[in-house]
Each structure stands twice: as structure tokens, then as C-alpha cells.
Amino acid sequence: MYGGGYIFDESASTELDDAKKLEAFEARIEAGEKIEPSDWMPAEYRKQLIRMIEQHAHSEIIGALPEGTWITRAPGFKRKLALMAKVQDEVGHAQLLYSAAETLGKSREDMINDLISGKSKYSNVFNYPAETWADTAVIAWLIDAGAIINQVANSKGSYGPYCRALERICTEESFHLKYGHDSVVFLATGTPVQRAMVQDALTRWWKPIMHFFGPSDKISVHNTIMMKWKLKMASNDDMRQKFLDMYVPKIWDLGLNIPDPELRKDEATGKWHYTEPDWEEFKRVINGDGPCNRERLAVRKMAEEKGEWVRRALMKQDERYITPLA
Amino acid sequence: MKENSTIKSLDPRITRADIPKDGQLSIDIKPLDQWQTYEVFHQEKKGDHHSHVGSLHAPNPEMAFLMAKEQYARRGRCVNIWVVKTSDIFTTNFEDEDMYTTNDDKMYREAGGYKVMDRINKYKKEHKKKEAVK
């Protein structure tokens, strides 16, 4: 659910690849064919795909933490069950995505090590805290909505195992979106205290939501090869526009206030105007200096350490690792 | 002292766990830490073929089944699941896919290798001529 704002390498060099094979490979993508794990692919395609799917998987795992914060104190049993189901879905999505990334030759153990050491990134939004129950409602509705826009686009990409994982994930996301919308509507149509609570959460989360799709096209390296290879299916700004178009009217419908005085739709161009998000802050947070980066990784580290004896106890002598097939 | 060196979280469970703020990973996550992989096949309804849906990590077939149920049969239809160790599957490469194409010299194995209409038409034409001569 949580894929968005991937960080790609800046350059994509194809110099070292076999020109004929590259031509055939690009022709297949152009024709809408899917690339499968045992097919020939440019080294740069493999590298960028591993990075992208791995970031997505880490985002699902770490993304479970802010929402998980409120499981023990969910208001009522029904909401507790629903939130637990959603958080379990997210962890399941990570499993599907790690498996898809592994087909490209990076082991799950390497990915876990790179997450904990800080070498691999995950979606920036999860470095912010869920301060109240209403934050989980806003996350479940709007962050999941953003993720769905991104994932539906990427499920039409070129790499077979990633597309298939995304299709399965999107099916599950539809419940998250409805659940999140229901939770926000309940608070927004409730008592003045409940309304104030959801308004506060929206105000807090608007900045991370605007950051979610990644840096503006004006400043991010416009990587034509990523588009040509169908690794990236839409530009960051295009996805942000699509999100605003779909969800701002729904937010305004509830009489909630979005903390951006510049936010309006230009009827002539059909495009949304908004205050340019602070991309310096985005960079600072993704590189480790956000409100929760340290906690998120410390919790992940603790989970690996505390689970080690279980994993070891179940290990068998004759086990051998084979890269998953598809 | 301890107050400042452990993580204080909005999640009380995390605060109670006394996790050090700056600790390094104390274990070495080596290959096979996450066990071996299994491939998962599921059947949407009785009478269908089982189809491959993806892979997972598990220490044994029973655990692989439990994980498969959670990961691949959580939503939508499923009546049956197979799990198979990835290392037990023998496959060919897509590069060798030409081995599956039917050669022209094996057309005797195909329905399309039998063309009778030309002979039938020829026979009918000649037969009619003979009839006419009589």
C-alpha cells in the first residue's frame, strides 16, 4: 500500500550492455510484454528495480508502525479488529514485495540488513508520528489513497513479478481506503471534540501527504529511461495532481480545512495550485533526520533480534537458498 | 540515565521494551536466516488447474502452507493450495523457448497437417466429368 516517492539513482548507463539484446528488450517493453526473472535485462534495469521494489517492501513493514501505535488503544473492539487486519495486510504486502525483489537476485537477508543499517530507504511519511487515533484514520484514508494511485500506475509496468504482486496488493488496499474514509467521516461528522481531533490530524499530515509522491518534476532528475523501461509509469507531479483532483473535494465536502492558502484548482488548465512542499525537509528526513527515523529502525532492529532464536530453532541442516522463480 | 538512553514512543509497548536509542544490530543476519523459499500454487475453484501465485520463505512445508494461506488466500477465492520447495522445481530458461515450437517436419502431429479438401474437390470434379461422359 505504501509505495510512493521512490528514490532512483541519478544516472542510468547502458554502455556496457549488449546493443542487440538491449534493442530486443526495449522492443518487448514497447509492445507491452512483461519481463520475467530469467529473461535478459540491462544491469541498470535490474539495479533500479531492486531498489524500487525493496524500498516499497520496507515502506510496508515500517508503515505498519505508525498505525500499529494505536492498536492497543483503538476506540472499541470493532475498530481494533479492523485496524489489526489492516496492519497485518501491510506486513503481508511486504512479504509479497520482498519475494518479487528476490527474483532479481538480492536475498531477503541482504535487504533486511540494508534496511536496518540505513542503506536502503523507505517512504518518508512513516518518519512522522501518529499522535492521536485520528492520525491513523487520516493515514488509512489519504496515505493509502496516494499509495493506490501510485500502485495502480506501477501495476502496468514492465516487470512481471512486481506487477502481479501489485495487483494482489491493490485488491487488499480497497478495504483500507474504505475503512480509512469511514473512520475519518465518523470523526468529522461527530462531536466538536472529534471534529477538532480529525482536523488536527489532517493539519499535521498534509505536509507528509504532499511529500508522498516525491520531489517536484522541476527539481527531480527527469529520468526518461525509467519511463521508457516502464519502471516509472507517471511523473511525481502528475500523480500528485491526480491525488489532489480525487481527494481535495472529498476533504472539503466534510468541511475540513486543508492547511495551504494557495490550494485551488485552476479551471482553465485543470491543474491544482499549491504551495511548493519543502523539499529540503524531505531530503533531510529521508536521510535520517526526521521525528521518528531513529525509533522506526530501532523497533525493526529489536524485532529481528528478538525473533532470532525462533528462526534459528526452526532452521534445518539441509536447507539451501534458491532464488524464487517468478 | 536509562530515561534518556531508551526510545520513548507514543506506543506504550515500545516504551516498555526499553530499546536503546543508538544500539547497533547485535546479531548477524546471514544467508538462510529467513529460511529457504517455497513456490505457491493455488486453485480458485474446484475443477481449475492450480496456478502459480508467488513464493515465500518458510522452514518447513507446514509453515509454508500457513504463510501461503495468509499471503495468497487472504482475499478472493481459493479452495486449495500447493506449496513446493523452490529447489525441487526443475525449469527451463525463456532463452530456450524455441525447444517448444513445433517443427515443420512434425506437422503429421497436428490437425492442420492434414489437408483433404484439395483431393476431395479434385475427386469430385473428375467424378462429375466421368458421369457426364456416360
mmCIF file of all heavy atoms in Angstrom, chain B residues 54-70:
data_model
loop_
_atom_site.group_PDB
_atom_site.id
_atom_site.type_symbol
_atom_site.label_atom_id
_atom_site.label_comp_id
_atom_site.label_asym_id
_atom_site.label_seq_id
_atom_site.Cartn_x
_atom_site.Cartn_y
_atom_site.Cartn_z
ATOM 1 N N GLY B 54 3.190 -17.138 -6.552
ATOM 2 C CA GLY B 54 4.336 -16.431 -5.987
ATOM 3 C C GLY B 54 5.139 -17.337 -5.070
ATOM 4 O O GLY B 54 4.935 -18.555 -5.058
ATOM 5 N N SER B 55 6.040 -16.726 -4.312
ATOM 6 C CA SER B 55 6.910 -17.517 -3.450
ATOM 7 C C SER B 55 6.871 -16.980 -2.026
ATOM 8 O O SER B 55 6.308 -15.918 -1.773
ATOM 9 C CB SER B 55 8.343 -17.461 -3.976
ATOM 10 O OG SER B 55 8.814 -16.133 -3.903
ATOM 11 N N LEU B 56 7.452 -17.733 -1.115
ATOM 12 C CA LEU B 56 7.555 -17.265 0.277
ATOM 13 C C LEU B 56 8.704 -17.980 0.979
ATOM 14 O O LEU B 56 9.289 -18.915 0.435
ATOM 15 C CB LEU B 56 6.245 -17.510 1.018
ATOM 16 C CG LEU B 56 5.628 -18.899 0.941
ATOM 17 C CD1 LEU B 56 6.334 -19.890 1.853
ATOM 18 C CD2 LEU B 56 4.166 -18.824 1.345
ATOM 19 N N HIS B 57 9.035 -17.523 2.177
ATOM 20 C CA HIS B 57 10.091 -18.161 2.973
ATOM 21 C C HIS B 57 9.461 -18.949 4.104
ATOM 22 O O HIS B 57 8.554 -18.449 4.772
ATOM 23 C CB HIS B 57 10.994 -17.100 3.595
ATOM 24 C CG HIS B 57 11.883 -16.442 2.615
ATOM 25 N ND1 HIS B 57 13.248 -16.569 2.638
ATOM 26 C CD2 HIS B 57 11.606 -15.642 1.552
ATOM 27 C CE1 HIS B 57 13.773 -15.879 1.646
ATOM 28 N NE2 HIS B 57 12.792 -15.296 0.979
ATOM 29 N N ALA B 58 9.943 -20.166 4.324
ATOM 30 C CA ALA B 58 9.410 -20.969 5.426
ATOM 31 C C ALA B 58 10.410 -22.057 5.790
ATOM 32 O O ALA B 58 11.201 -22.482 4.945
ATOM 33 C CB ALA B 58 8.069 -21.583 5.033
ATOM 34 N N PRO B 59 10.369 -22.519 7.049
ATOM 35 C CA PRO B 59 11.313 -23.561 7.471
ATOM 36 C C PRO B 59 10.853 -24.977 7.123
ATOM 37 O O PRO B 59 11.660 -25.894 7.123
ATOM 38 C CB PRO B 59 11.368 -23.381 8.990
ATOM 39 C CG PRO B 59 10.050 -22.788 9.352
ATOM 40 C CD PRO B 59 9.607 -21.968 8.177
ATOM 41 N N ASN B 60 9.572 -25.161 6.855
ATOM 42 C CA ASN B 60 9.066 -26.496 6.528
ATOM 43 C C ASN B 60 7.742 -26.360 5.782
ATOM 44 O O ASN B 60 7.156 -25.267 5.750
ATOM 45 C CB ASN B 60 8.896 -27.330 7.818
ATOM 46 C CG ASN B 60 8.019 -26.612 8.837
ATOM 47 O OD1 ASN B 60 6.932 -26.124 8.506
ATOM 48 N ND2 ASN B 60 8.487 -26.515 10.072
ATOM 49 N N PRO B 61 7.255 -27.455 5.187
ATOM 50 C CA PRO B 61 6.037 -27.357 4.365
ATOM 51 C C PRO B 61 4.811 -26.887 5.154
ATOM 52 O O PRO B 61 3.981 -26.140 4.618
ATOM 53 C CB PRO B 61 5.822 -28.781 3.853
ATOM 54 C CG PRO B 61 7.157 -29.426 3.930
ATOM 55 C CD PRO B 61 7.861 -28.800 5.088
ATOM 56 N N GLU B 62 4.700 -27.288 6.413
ATOM 57 C CA GLU B 62 3.531 -26.888 7.207
ATOM 58 C C GLU B 62 3.499 -25.375 7.403
ATOM 59 O O GLU B 62 2.452 -24.727 7.264
ATOM 60 C CB GLU B 62 3.530 -27.598 8.580
ATOM 61 C CG GLU B 62 3.294 -29.105 8.534
ATOM 62 C CD GLU B 62 4.525 -29.899 8.125
ATOM 63 O OE1 GLU B 62 5.650 -29.329 8.108
ATOM 64 O OE2 GLU B 62 4.373 -31.092 7.795
ATOM 65 N N MET B 63 4.659 -24.814 7.747
ATOM 66 C CA MET B 63 4.741 -23.362 7.919
ATOM 67 C C MET B 63 4.548 -22.657 6.572
ATOM 68 O O MET B 63 3.945 -21.581 6.504
ATOM 69 C CB MET B 63 6.098 -22.967 8.501
ATOM 70 C CG MET B 63 6.257 -23.275 9.969
ATOM 71 S SD MET B 63 5.428 -22.037 10.990
ATOM 72 C CE MET B 63 6.558 -20.655 10.826
ATOM 73 N N ALA B 64 5.069 -23.289 5.523
ATOM 74 C CA ALA B 64 4.903 -22.699 4.186
ATOM 75 C C ALA B 64 3.417 -22.608 3.860
ATOM 76 O O ALA B 64 2.953 -21.607 3.305
ATOM 77 C CB ALA B 64 5.635 -23.536 3.134
ATOM 78 N N PHE B 65 2.673 -23.658 4.230
ATOM 79 C CA PHE B 65 1.232 -23.626 3.969
ATOM 80 C C PHE B 65 0.562 -22.492 4.741
ATOM 81 O O PHE B 65 -0.248 -21.741 4.191
ATOM 82 C CB PHE B 65 0.596 -24.979 4.318
ATOM 83 C CG PHE B 65 -0.898 -24.875 4.426
ATOM 84 C CD1 PHE B 65 -1.677 -24.696 3.294
ATOM 85 C CD2 PHE B 65 -1.515 -24.883 5.673
ATOM 86 C CE1 PHE B 65 -3.045 -24.529 3.393
ATOM 87 C CE2 PHE B 65 -2.886 -24.712 5.776
ATOM 88 C CZ PHE B 65 -3.657 -24.537 4.639
ATOM 89 N N LEU B 66 0.924 -22.345 6.035
ATOM 90 C CA LEU B 66 0.302 -21.274 6.838
ATOM 91 C C LEU B 66 0.591 -19.894 6.248
ATOM 92 O O LEU B 66 -0.288 -19.037 6.150
ATOM 93 C CB LEU B 66 0.821 -21.329 8.283
ATOM 94 C CG LEU B 66 0.299 -22.474 9.149
ATOM 95 C CD1 LEU B 66 0.970 -22.442 10.513
ATOM 96 C CD2 LEU B 66 -1.215 -22.371 9.308
ATOM 97 N N MET B 67 1.855 -19.705 5.843
ATOM 98 C CA MET B 67 2.235 -18.416 5.252
ATOM 99 C C MET B 67 1.515 -18.210 3.921
ATOM 100 O O MET B 67 1.088 -17.098 3.603
ATOM 101 C CB MET B 67 3.755 -18.362 5.032
ATOM 102 C CG MET B 67 4.560 -18.431 6.303
ATOM 103 S SD MET B 67 4.306 -16.984 7.328
ATOM 104 C CE MET B 67 5.426 -15.828 6.563
ATOM 105 N N ALA B 68 1.383 -19.289 3.143
ATOM 106 C CA ALA B 68 0.725 -19.181 1.835
ATOM 107 C C ALA B 68 -0.732 -18.786 2.013
ATOM 108 O O ALA B 68 -1.269 -17.964 1.269
ATOM 109 C CB ALA B 68 0.828 -20.506 1.080
ATOM 110 N N LYS B 69 -1.358 -19.361 3.020
ATOM 111 C CA LYS B 69 -2.763 -19.047 3.277
ATOM 112 C C LYS B 69 -2.903 -17.556 3.603
ATOM 113 O O LYS B 69 -3.793 -16.879 3.102
ATOM 114 C CB LYS B 69 -3.267 -19.920 4.430
ATOM 115 C CG LYS B 69 -4.723 -19.708 4.782
ATOM 116 C CD LYS B 69 -5.178 -20.736 5.814
ATOM 117 C CE LYS B 69 -6.497 -20.346 6.430
ATOM 118 N NZ LYS B 69 -6.401 -19.175 7.327
ATOM 119 N N GLU B 70 -2.003 -17.035 4.445
ATOM 120 C CA GLU B 70 -2.071 -15.624 4.822
ATOM 121 C C GLU B 70 -1.705 -14.698 3.667
ATOM 122 O O GLU B 70 -2.264 -13.619 3.515
ATOM 123 C CB GLU B 70 -1.154 -15.333 6.014
ATOM 124 C CG GLU B 70 -1.632 -15.929 7.327
ATOM 125 C CD GLU B 70 -3.052 -15.480 7.690
ATOM 126 O OE1 GLU B 70 -3.365 -14.281 7.560
ATOM 127 O OE2 GLU B 70 -3.859 -16.343 8.087
#
